[in-house]
Amino acid sequence: QVQLVESGGGLVQAGGSLRLSCAASGRTFSSYIMGWFRQAPGKEREFVAGISRSGGNKLYADSVKARFTISRDNAKNTVFLQMNSLKPEDTAIYYCAGYSGTYFSVPRRTMEYDYWGQGTQVTVSS
């Protein structure tokens, strides 16, 4: 029943920036821990960043820490991923995901998340 729709992907040169958005349907957005994952061709889907229900706790993969920032606006049912200093190795399909369980801490495992968007392509040229 819950739908997530990503937007904001595109093609940028190395060193550039993009801001991804994920819009959620329904009125229970604030009850979900939200995360961003990415998947490059031939590789497993990996955790990028996550944010707690109120937005007070954030978790990042080491590969993107200090470059990416996750945020959310519960009034607008939207989660964002600001990506700066992009590198060619950031090229992937980026997925928005929601966790509806009872964990307090942000999960890192793909299998923990219940709802997924269809993804948005991010391509970083060298």
Side-chain angles (χ1 to χ4, degrees), residues 4-49:
L4 303 174
V5 181
E6 302 96 336
S7 62
L11 191 153
V12 296
Q13 290 186 310
S17 298
L18 284 173
R19 190 181 77 157
L20 306 183
S21 298
C22 173
S25 66
R27 298 181 179 179
T28 58
F29 178 75
S30 62
S31 70
Y32 303 147
I33 294 173
M34 300 298 296
W36 286 96
F37 293 77
R38 67 187 182 187
Q39 187 167 21
K43 296 184 178 180
E44 296 294 318
R45 191 170 299 183
E46 65 175 353
F47 174 82
V48 176

Side-chain angles (χ1 to χ4, degrees), residues 23-121:
S25 66
R27 298 181 179 179
T28 58
F29 178 75
S30 62
S31 70
Y32 303 147
I33 294 173
M34 300 298 296
W36 286 96
F37 293 77
R38 67 187 182 187
Q39 187 167 21
K43 296 184 178 180
E44 296 294 318
R45 191 170 299 183
E46 65 175 353
F47 174 82
V48 176
I51 187 167
S52 61
R53 297 170 180 88
S54 65
N57 188 42
K58 301 175 182 180
L59 188 66
Y60 299 94
D62 289 342
S63 60
V64 307
K65 191 173 296 182
R67 298 189 299 121
F68 291 10
T69 303
I70 189 170
S71 61
R72 67 191 297 163
D73 186 342
N74 286 346
K76 297 182 178 179
N77 281 17
T78 306
V79 62
F80 304 95
L81 185 68
Q82 178 67 46
M83 305 185 295
N84 299 325
S85 302
L86 283 162
K87 305 175 181 179
E89 50 262 46
D90 295 318
T91 296
I93 300 174
Y94 282 72
Y95 297 91
C96 176
Y99 168 77
S100 62
T102 59
Y103 292 169
F104 179 79
S105 300
V106 175
R108 287 180 175 268
R109 294 183 177 184
T110 301
M111 65 180 181
E112 298 283 5
Y113 287 79
D114 308 292
Y115 306 108
W116 293 87
Q118 295 188 27
T120 185
Q121 178 70 47

